[in-house]
Amino acid sequence: MVRVSTTAAGKGPEGPGPEGAARTQTQHDDDALGELGYRPELKRTLGNFHTFAAGVSYISILTGTFQLFYFGVSFGGPAYWWSWPMVFVGQFMVALCFCELAARYPVAGSVYNWAKAMGGPHVGWLGGWMMMTATMVTLSAVALAYQITLPQIDDWFQFVGDGSGKTDAAANAVLLGSVLVLFSTLVNAFGVKLMARINSAGVFIELIAAVALIVFLAAHITRGPSSVLTETYGLGSGQSLGYLGAFLTASLASAYVMYGFDTASSLGEESHNPGRNAPRAILRALVASFIIGGLILLFALMSVPDLEAEELSTGGLQYVVLETLGSTIGEIFLWAVVIAITVCVLAVQAAGIRLMFAMARDNNLPAGSRLARVSPRFRTPVVPAVLIGVVAVVILVINIDQPQIFSVITSIAIIMIYLAYLLVTAPMLLKRLRGEWHPAEGSFSLGRFGLPVNILAVLWGAAMAINLAWPRAEVYNATGPQHWYLRWGAFLFIGIVALGGFAYYWFVQRHKTGVLDEHRFEAGDSAPPPSAAP
């Protein structure tokens, strides 16, 4: 009797059929991880839309535009809209550089590992440390967005007082934000598959709602774009830089939104074919967010009944939606914003978990072996999920009566993310100039455009970091008595975090750094490539 091998016939799990192709691709992905010195431990369950959704939900157009619209209008008038395409072009240069890195290094904790690969272990540690610190503060800041939206849907969500007290809003924001962080921590701790399912469903709803919002606002347009895009409210008059100074301040509203697209690659160890899919997800997330967000902002300004209404600077985009579309339809869209905030928090915490895991796996954090331990049941690092959640809640609680201090820290967290990006793009530029950077063969490559794109990415990152950190009273000391340490809070806080953290690393942790034994790739850690059956 002659036995016909199902594998050779293409029907078995390791033949050329769908299952065999998937297993072969997983093998290839794990081999690529092994080349970086890491043993594959996280479960690969994420597909194309999951990685795209991770990037979109971190940027979270509905969260960012609804949270910061008032800021842009307050300091730049409706003409602040031009900061949206300006920030997009700059961040697009950064994203293109990240795409080359994502194709070559599809690994967890992307910014940390990219900075390490481009600038060495010391630069990598500093980039990871800045990003990790900023992520925990950002998690708290995004969770506060519940307070901006939920009480406008129904007064029932104002659990602390009636909202008229001096600290009612701040205390209620901490309560709502803490509940959201607790939910996010539980979901992330139970595994990436559950997080990805909720996140993808939330992003799908967010995208549908965003497109519908564009259509509804377009149907209520009352003025042309020329009357909107040139309206400055006379802001900046009498200042040394004129309207340019006001515009640079207002541009922070866009800069605070359009980042986090690297999250699409940070889940690389849990994605199928990340070297191919991650670069696409990064670009798609950023471009989709730019188009959708830009249209929402533009049509909101073109449709609001009174372009000079004071509520534009106080009630923000929530006011525009309710005033233009009515309470019933408006509240439906506000519920979509609540969903967007929820999945944004999920994505921010997921990215922070992978970053902490990546640094701990290299023994670059205290108690590295505990932080890098992967739950055998949930196949995810549980301890980082809990730790990041606890720190985020603590940040919320200690600032319950100090909203001004919290706004300063939140602004500084965004600067630290921009600086972490710089710690990737700047060393990458040096490697290009030395002829030491070579993109992965057959994967995403900028070709001859790599050098000019990289130069623009570095110049943009440096310029925007300076703009974000500039000691403006309206940003860093907006209320109450003026304090020099608040005005210069960005430089002081970042200096303390960067110098203090790096001092600890230099004198203590760097002597212990190195891939932990339980996470180090060894021959035989992954199965050999499938071969044809006899």
Side-chain angles (χ1 to χ4, degrees), residues 190-484:
F190 277 110
V192 71
K193 194 168 185 178
L194 175 62
M195 185 281 296
R197 284 177 174 174
I198 296 176
N199 187 64
S200 296
V203 167
F204 182 77
I205 294 172
E206 179 179 3
L207 292 175
I208 295 296
V211 172
L213 179 59
I214 291 171
V215 173
F216 273 83
L217 290 175
H220 291 77
I221 286 177
T222 59
R223 63 186 62 84
S226 59
S227 61
V228 169
L229 300 180
T230 58
E231 177 59 63
T232 65
Y233 291 166
L235 295 166
S237 59
Q239 298 183 14
S240 58
L241 295 178
Y243 182 69
L244 176 60
F247 178 78
L248 290 176
T249 301
S251 69
L252 272 59
S254 299
Y256 283 6
V257 177
M258 226 174 296
Y259 68 93
F261 40 83
D262 56 289
T263 305
S265 178
S266 197
L267 299 172
E269 293 184 38
E270 295 149 283
S271 306
H272 295 297
N273 199 3
R276 176 177 178 270
N277 294 332
R280 295 182 177 186
I282 290 173
L283 293 182
R284 287 170 179 169
L286 184 58
V287 172
S289 299
F290 162 67
I291 294 174
I292 294 173
L295 290 176
I296 288 175
L297 294 174
L298 179 61
F299 288 168
L301 292 167
M302 292 170 63
S303 63
V304 66
D306 183 5
L307 190 60
E308 297 187 3
E310 183 181 349
E311 289 84 352
L312 282 175
S313 301
T314 55
L317 202 51
Q318 287 89 337
Y319 160 77
V320 175
V321 170
L322 292 173
E323 186 73 11
T324 303
L325 305 182
S327 59
T328 302
I329 296 177
E331 286 181 6
I332 292 175
F333 282 112
L334 292 188
W335 275 114
V337 173
V338 172
I339 294 173
I341 296 169
T342 303
V343 296
C344 181
V345 166
L346 282 173
V348 171
Q349 189 165 6
I353 292 168
R354 274 73 194 168
L355 180 63
M356 185 176 287
F357 165 75
M359 294 186 71
R361 180 171 57 182
D362 284 347
N363 203 26
N364 265 329
L365 292 175
S369 60
R370 288 183 177 272
L371 292 174
R373 184 176 300 162
V374 176
S375 167
R377 180 180 178 183
F378 302 119
R379 299 294 296 274
T380 194
V382 174
V383 175
V386 175
L387 179 60
I388 291 174
V390 169
V391 172
V393 171
V394 169
I395 293 173
L396 287 172
V397 171
I398 63 177
N399 288 286
I400 192 169
D401 292 324
Q402 304 180 61
Q404 180 168 271
I405 297 292
F406 189 82
S407 66
V408 171
I409 295 176
T410 303
S411 300
I412 291 169
I414 310 301
I415 303 170
M416 292 172 69
I417 292 176
Y418 275 76
L419 290 175
Y421 284 2
L422 261 179
L423 289 171
V424 174
T425 55
M428 187 180 191
L429 177 58
L430 292 177
K431 277 190 172 290
R432 285 188 195 276
L433 293 173
R434 294 170 183 166
E436 298 174 357
W437 169 246
H438 304 288
E441 290 186 17
S443 297
F444 186 94
S445 174
L446 294 173
R448 66 178 183 274
F449 297 105
L451 182 59
V453 166
N454 205 158
I455 291 174
L456 290 174
V458 172
L459 292 177
W460 160 258
M464 204 61 199
I466 293 172
N467 184 39
L468 288 164
W470 202 256
R472 300 179 176 91
E474 56 266 35
V475 176
Y476 293 105
N477 206 161
T479 60
Q482 297 296 303
H483 299 289
W484 69 269

Side-chain angles (χ1 to χ4, degrees), residues 13-288:
E14 296 190 8
E19 292 185 13
R23 182 167 298 188
T24 301
Q25 182 59 55
T26 299
Q27 178 68 52
H28 174 75
D29 296 338
D30 289 346
D31 288 345
L33 184 63
E35 291 178 9
L36 297 174
Y38 302 123
R39 181 165 60 88
E41 299 174 85
L42 305 178
K43 190 174 182 180
R44 296 191 183 275
T45 58
L46 307 184
N48 291 351
F49 187 78
H50 293 130
T51 52
F52 164 76
V56 169
S57 58
Y58 198 121
I59 299 174
S60 192
I61 289 307
L62 290 185
T63 301
T65 53
F66 275 80
Q67 193 172 15
L68 294 160
F69 177 85
Y70 83 94
F71 184 93
V73 173
S74 297
F75 293 105
Y80 104 92
W81 181 89
W82 289 107
S83 67
W84 190 257
M86 179 190 77
V87 171
F88 167 73
V89 172
Q91 293 295 75
F92 189 67
M93 298 299 106
V94 177
L96 288 172
C97 293
F98 282 6
C99 286
E100 281 196 333
L101 290 162
R104 184 168 176 181
Y105 304 111
V107 61
S110 50
V111 168
Y112 159 70
N113 275 299
W114 295 344
K116 183 179 69 173
M118 295 297 99
H122 306 329
V123 173
W125 188 91
L126 184 59
W129 171 249
M130 299 279 276
M131 193 74 180
M132 185 176 67
T133 306
T135 296
M136 290 186 282
V137 179
T138 301
L139 181 64
S140 303
V142 175
L144 286 176
Y146 262 7
Q147 178 63 24
I148 301 176
T149 304
L150 283 174
Q152 292 208 41
I153 295 175
D154 196 307
D155 292 337
W156 182 84
F157 291 104
Q158 183 65 42
F159 298 106
V160 180
D162 58 3
S164 60
K166 184 178 180 181
T167 60
D168 285 359
N172 199 67
V174 170
L175 175 62
L176 294 175
S178 298
V179 171
L180 177 54
V181 171
L182 175 61
F183 168 76
S184 177
T185 301
L186 290 173
V187 170
N188 274 289
F190 277 110
V192 71
K193 194 168 185 178
L194 175 62
M195 185 281 296
R197 284 177 174 174
I198 296 176
N199 187 64
S200 296
V203 167
F204 182 77
I205 294 172
E206 179 179 3
L207 292 175
I208 295 296
V211 172
L213 179 59
I214 291 171
V215 173
F216 273 83
L217 290 175
H220 291 77
I221 286 177
T222 59
R223 63 186 62 84
S226 59
S227 61
V228 169
L229 300 180
T230 58
E231 177 59 63
T232 65
Y233 291 166
L235 295 166
S237 59
Q239 298 183 14
S240 58
L241 295 178
Y243 182 69
L244 176 60
F247 178 78
L248 290 176
T249 301
S251 69
L252 272 59
S254 299
Y256 283 6
V257 177
M258 226 174 296
Y259 68 93
F261 40 83
D262 56 289
T263 305
S265 178
S266 197
L267 299 172
E269 293 184 38
E270 295 149 283
S271 306
H272 295 297
N273 199 3
R276 176 177 178 270
N277 294 332
R280 295 182 177 186
I282 290 173
L283 293 182
R284 287 170 179 169
L286 184 58
V287 172

